[in-house]
Amino acid sequence: MRGKDLSGEVLEDRYRVLERIAEGAMGAVYRGTRLNIDRAVAIKVMHASLPSAMEGRKRFEREAKLMARLEHPHCVSLIDYGLHGAKPYVVMELVRGRSLHDALVEQGKFEITRAIDVMRQVLSGLAHAHEQGIIHRDIKPANIMVTPKAPLGLHVRILDFGLARMLEASTSVSNGVAVGTPSYMAPEQCRGEELDARVDIYACGVVLFEMLTGKKPFIAGDPIAIVKKQIDQPPPHLRDIPPGGDYGALEDIVARALSKSAADRFPSAVAMAEALEAAVSGRPATAEPTMVLPVTGDPSSSASKEKTVTLAPPSASMDVPITVGSSVIQKPPKPGSSVRRQLPVSRTRWFVLAALLALGAGVAFVVVNYDDWLGAKKPTEADAAFTRVVDVPKPPDAAPPSDPATDLAKQASDLVAAGKQQAAIDSLVKARKVYPDSAILALTLGKLYMGKLWWADGIANLRDAIKLDPNVKEDDEVIKLTVRGFLMTPSYDYRLANLLIEIGPPAKPALAEAAKSHPNPPTRARAESLLRRMH
């Protein structure tokens, strides 16, 4: 232990520390609770043994500021920040599950499809971090949490941005000293050189290698020997690790990610994710130029060099078989229309329904099962397969019926507000199967996908929403998310461009503003090009 165990203490009358759950180079992580609202949280407190003047304290405080900028389903979010006994602490959401490291220790390696799914989620989270100007610098299985999700999948969260640094920093925070975990460090990181986002691409290559084979590419008896191998020794092929096998396109993907030169690696997290998606789907990966954004700072300094920023493509499909209510699934009634009830009816009983409908014209009544009334046998499963809709006129003073699709969309929004974005997406995927003609469900799901940077799924759902309700074209959030995606993808994305063309005039002001004032010349040119297409 590097410092006093804070279990049982209360931090600034706001957080009660319950138990220590992990410890790292800079601080200890505790399970805690937010007083008054009893919310479970994770609390990271800087080690008491680190003097305030040391670089470790500055790095810890920087972690809090960086994490506050991360808002993504695959990145752990910062909740609060404070001081306890002159030592800083950060409060994060408590991620339930286990580390990828523990999962690999237990399983040895992953099936190819699962390894790709996990890595694409990691790349999605890194894409968001890189977009904010943040590189992680310590991607490894111990810093990746996995939580089971239906059906038999894993939801990934990236932990510990404690070694992250700003892309626009003109000098290395380590001042020429290699900082990181040797087995996952890129060659330039091992040499203590200035880094960019491609150092995370290298680490992802190591993690993917480990998930596929159960082994790290470089193994040695001491950290210095591993560092030397990272710098000088070519990585092994996947097929060379017993029991071997044919990994197809993954062989080239891993080899490119593990290139000794950063220039030879994937230029962005999204480029690597797209290559993985192509490996799964069998289609060719796109090979277009990578967009770069300038880093803010003094134009004369090295900090002003252009840096790669990244976004990530959609993850694997989340199709889930569902059952809603009973075996008969009903579409929602429109407000103001009569309530419609589905009843199981035998083919031999149509005359009963016809008579009841004739007698009940204009009068509210209850339809009873005629066979039950006569004491006859119950309908068989075959009988129940036949249904007819019976109108039951709504009493004049009754409140308008609620729209189940709207209610489901609201429930999903509530889940998002509670920080359960993946649960919201899963619920909307199910709901869309039941109510495929609901514009609000398609719109809500499309926005969530676009916010998560999963363009293909987001575009598909937004297009459905526009077909069902053309007014969606004027939704400010839809325009903002689509323009943002179009401007920040690494290459000209025709899917996003065509969606903006479909949206039409409502999207022009945002594009015109980008064409006029965006700090990156290639991005301005991209916006201008699309505006010309829209005229």
Side-chain angles (χ1 to χ4, degrees), residues 289-357:
T290 299
M291 185 191 75
V292 292
L293 289 180
V295 176
T296 57
D298 183 356
S300 63
S301 72
S302 60
S304 64
K305 294 184 295 184
E306 290 183 332
K307 299 288 185 177
T308 300
V309 297
T310 61
L311 297 173
S315 71
S317 171
M318 294 181 294
D319 291 340
V320 183
I322 60 168
T323 302
V324 178
S326 64
S327 59
V328 179
I329 300 176
Q330 304 180 36
K331 292 184 178 181
K334 295 181 179 180
S337 65
S338 56
V339 180
R340 301 174 73 81
R341 178 178 301 161
Q342 289 188 316
L343 300 173
V345 189
S346 167
R347 278 170 286 189
T348 63
R349 304 182 187 110
W350 298 129
F351 73 94
V352 177
L353 287 177
L356 288 172
L357 286 170

Side-chain angles (χ1 to χ4, degrees), residues 357-371:
L357 286 170
L359 292 172
V363 181
F365 61 92
V366 177
V367 179
V368 299
N369 187 300
Y370 187 62
D371 281 349

Side-chain angles (χ1 to χ4, degrees), residues 95-379:
V95 179
R96 304 188 185 279
R98 59 177 177 168
S99 70
L100 179 60
H101 173 270
D102 292 342
L104 287 171
V105 168
E106 178 181 319
Q107 300 182 32
K109 62 179 181 178
F110 283 0
E111 295 179 355
I112 289 177
T113 53
R114 172 157 292 188
I116 292 176
D117 179 57
V118 168
M119 182 49 58
R120 288 173 68 193
Q121 293 183 61
V122 171
L123 290 166
S124 178
L126 286 175
H128 172 71
H130 295 167
E131 181 187 345
Q132 306 303 313
I134 302 168
I135 56 175
H136 190 286
R137 298 206 307 161
D138 198 26
I139 290 294
K140 58 184 178 182
N143 282 338
I144 299 170
M145 290 291 290
V146 292
T147 305
K149 70 172 184 179
L152 303 179
L154 294 174
H155 182 67
V156 172
R157 305 292 291 277
I158 302 173
L159 307 178
D160 198 358
F161 279 81
L163 294 179
R165 76 172 178 89
M166 301 303 294
L167 280 172
E168 67 263 27
S170 59
T171 58
S172 172
V173 296
S174 54
N175 295 320
V177 178
V179 178
T181 303
S183 293
Y184 304 90
M185 290 166 60
E188 63 270 28
Q189 189 175 6
C190 293
R191 292 190 291 263
E193 299 173 356
E194 186 176 356
L195 309 177
D196 64 19
R198 290 170 294 186
V199 71
D200 288 341
I201 301 299
Y202 186 93
C204 284
V206 177
V207 174
L208 182 56
F209 188 104
E210 189 173 357
M211 285 194 290
L212 292 170
T213 67
K215 305 288 184 181
K216 300 179 182 69
F218 299 112
I219 302 173
D222 65 90
I224 300 300
I226 294 176
V227 166
K228 290 180 179 179
K229 288 185 175 183
Q230 295 282 24
I231 295 173
D232 301 324
Q233 184 173 311
H237 296 288
L238 295 172
R239 62 178 178 268
D240 294 337
I241 305 299
D246 181 8
Y247 290 89
L250 290 175
E251 196 77 73
D252 292 335
I253 292 173
V254 171
R256 185 176 178 185
L258 293 179
S259 296
K260 297 300 180 185
S261 170
D264 294 332
R265 294 176 208 143
F266 291 100
S268 64
V270 72
M272 183 173 176
E274 285 178 345
L276 290 173
E277 183 180 13
V280 173
S281 64
R283 64 166 178 77
T286 57
E288 299 183 33
T290 299
M291 185 191 75
V292 292
L293 289 180
V295 176
T296 57
D298 183 356
S300 63
S301 72
S302 60
S304 64
K305 294 184 295 184
E306 290 183 332
K307 299 288 185 177
T308 300
V309 297
T310 61
L311 297 173
S315 71
S317 171
M318 294 181 294
D319 291 340
V320 183
I322 60 168
T323 302
V324 178
S326 64
S327 59
V328 179
I329 300 176
Q330 304 180 36
K331 292 184 178 181
K334 295 181 179 180
S337 65
S338 56
V339 180
R340 301 174 73 81
R341 178 178 301 161
Q342 289 188 316
L343 300 173
V345 189
S346 167
R347 278 170 286 189
T348 63
R349 304 182 187 110
W350 298 129
F351 73 94
V352 177
L353 287 177
L356 288 172
L357 286 170
L359 292 172
V363 181
F365 61 92
V366 177
V367 179
V368 299
N369 187 300
Y370 187 62
D371 281 349
D372 285 346
W373 186 20
L374 298 179
K377 68 175 183 177
K378 299 288 185 181

Side-chain angles (χ1 to χ4, degrees), residues 370-452:
Y370 187 62
D371 281 349
D372 285 346
W373 186 20
L374 298 179
K377 68 175 183 177
K378 299 288 185 181
T380 65
E381 291 185 5
D383 292 334
F386 294 85
T387 63
R388 284 297 182 271
V389 176
V390 179
D391 280 337
V392 182
K394 176 172 59 66
D397 58 345
S402 62
D403 180 356
T406 301
D407 292 342
L408 288 170
K410 183 181 183 305
Q411 291 171 16
S413 298
D414 292 342
L415 286 172
V416 173
K420 301 177 180 179
Q421 189 168 22
Q422 189 59 50
I425 289 176
D426 291 343
S427 69
L428 288 169
V429 169
K430 297 177 183 179
R432 286 224 62 203
K433 292 179 178 293
V434 182
Y435 306 113
D437 297 330
S438 170
I440 191 170
L441 289 176
L443 175 62
T444 306
L445 182 56
K447 287 180 178 180
L448 283 177
Y449 277 136
M450 296 293 280
K452 199 172 181 180

Side-chain angles (χ1 to χ4, degrees), residues 26 58 71 75 105 230 234 249 267 329 354 395 426 455 500 534:
M26 292 182 297
K58 296 179 182 178
E71 296 181 5
C75 298
V105 168
Q230 295 282 24
I329 300 176
D426 291 343
W455 308 127
L500 287 170
M534 297 174 69

